[in-house]
Amino acid sequence: MIAFILAAGLGTRLRPLTDNRPKALVEYEGRPLLEHLLERLRGYGFRDFVINLHHFPDMIRRFAMEYARREEVKIAFSDETGRLLDTGGALTHALPLIGKEQTVLVHNVDVLTNSDVRLLERRMRETDADAVLSVRRRDTSRYLYADGEGRLRAWKNIKSGQSKGEALQEGFTPFAFSGIHLLKTELVSEWAEIYGTENPFSVIDAYLDSVHVRNIVLSEQTEGYWKDMGKIGDFHAPMPV
């Protein structure tokens, strides 16, 4: 299995920390966020990684190449320096680097968690899913909704009222997306044909466009911690336990 790390964001919520470095290299407890993530995934057996680049790309490239040499892993880079492609466009653009692996784990670089990513693989096998999205029950402004069998059916921004997918109905359960998902690469190939490989689009929109022809399943994380390292204050808080 290969891991695709979304690290191209501008990190605007972390300014001024990101005025002179990418979000991926902002340090938490003495180590950059990217290193925290690489170490965790390496602990689960990952040895092949793809990282997308946009903001301060050379800094990420130098750090990752040194890490790859030191830890004997493979890291490739998907260049988005010309244009940010959003979460879905990043995947289709990186498809040649992801290759013909059966599945790819996608992980936001600014998510700090100890969730066991192997649970997503188990859920995929048990449900014969084309994709499994890690979710939690927590307060957010944007919710994913699952039917009684745990399949993705809808999305809604409760602040703006904007929604996508099926009309909300009794029996649907709201969850917050964790920024971690496992999907079959044939689904990414389908998206590449539909949306292209150079066009920005949201991966959540793509999932919702696919729910009637593909089995998109949610997997609730009920144990351990999860934290979006999106604000400066998050870097002053101790590591969750």
Side-chain angles (χ1 to χ4, degrees):
M1 193 187 307
I2 193 167
F4 181 46
I5 298 175
L6 292 168
L10 300 175
T12 53
R13 293 184 299 162
L14 289 177
R15 290 176 177 162
L17 296 180
T18 51
D19 285 344
N20 58 6
R21 78 187 82 175
K23 174 170 57 177
L25 297 186
V26 175
E27 291 191 357
Y28 177 67
E29 294 200 338
R31 293 192 297 169
L33 291 179
L34 179 57
E35 184 174 358
H36 281 284
L37 179 53
L38 289 169
E39 285 291 285
R40 186 170 70 87
L41 295 182
R42 201 165 60 86
Y44 290 122
F46 284 87
R47 293 295 181 272
D48 292 295
F49 302 90
V50 177
I51 303 173
N52 70 334
L53 306 175
H54 178 79
H55 189 51
F56 292 106
D58 292 339
M59 292 180 69
I60 294 180
R61 194 185 300 270
R62 285 193 299 270
F63 176 87
M65 290 177 67
E66 174 57 33
Y67 181 91
R69 284 192 294 269
R70 184 175 71 248
E71 304 298 343
E72 298 182 340
V73 298
K74 296 179 181 179
I75 300 180
F77 304 96
S78 182
D79 192 338
E80 295 180 32
T81 52
R83 184 187 191 191
L84 277 170
L85 296 173
D86 206 339
T87 50
L91 260 173
T92 57
H93 183 71
L95 189 56
L97 297 172
I98 294 170
K100 296 182 179 179
E101 295 280 348
Q102 184 178 2
T103 55
V104 54
L105 177 77
V106 183
H107 202 301
N108 291 0
V109 75
D110 56 357
V111 165
L112 187 69
T113 180
N114 64 351
S115 64
D116 189 340
V117 297
R118 293 170 297 189
L119 296 178
L120 301 183
E121 189 175 15
R122 185 185 308 168
R123 178 91 164 129
M124 177 173 278
R125 288 195 307 268
E126 292 172 346
T127 60
D128 193 27
D130 297 295
V132 180
L133 284 66
S134 178
V135 295
R136 290 177 66 91
R137 295 177 190 256
R138 60 179 175 85
D139 292 335
T140 183
S141 60
R142 296 169 292 181
Y143 286 99
L144 299 177
Y145 289 83
D147 63 18
E149 297 181 355
R151 296 172 299 183
L152 177 64
R153 285 294 178 244
W155 169 91
K156 184 174 183 179
N157 185 320
I158 60 173
K159 288 186 177 180
S160 69
Q162 181 184 7
S163 63
K164 188 176 178 70
E166 297 181 11
L168 299 184
Q169 54 188 278
E170 186 176 352
F172 281 11
T173 303
F175 294 99
F177 182 43
S178 293
I180 309 165
H181 44 126
L182 178 70
L183 69 157
K184 295 179 179 178
T185 51
E186 63 183 64
L187 184 55
V188 183
S189 296
E190 287 182 9
W191 292 342
E193 294 180 3
I194 296 170
Y195 307 105
T197 60
E198 302 296 331
N199 298 315
F201 66 93
S202 162
V203 74
I204 297 299
D205 285 347
Y207 278 134
L208 289 165
D209 287 341
S210 302
V211 294
H212 297 296
V213 293
R214 288 290 190 172
N215 186 19
I216 314 299
V217 173
L218 305 187
S219 178
E220 183 182 3
Q221 179 190 352
T222 57
E223 299 180 356
Y225 63 81
W226 179 96
K227 191 170 183 59
D228 172 14
M229 303 295 289
K231 300 177 181 177
I232 292 178
D234 296 325
F235 289 82
H236 301 307
M239 178 78 77
V241 294

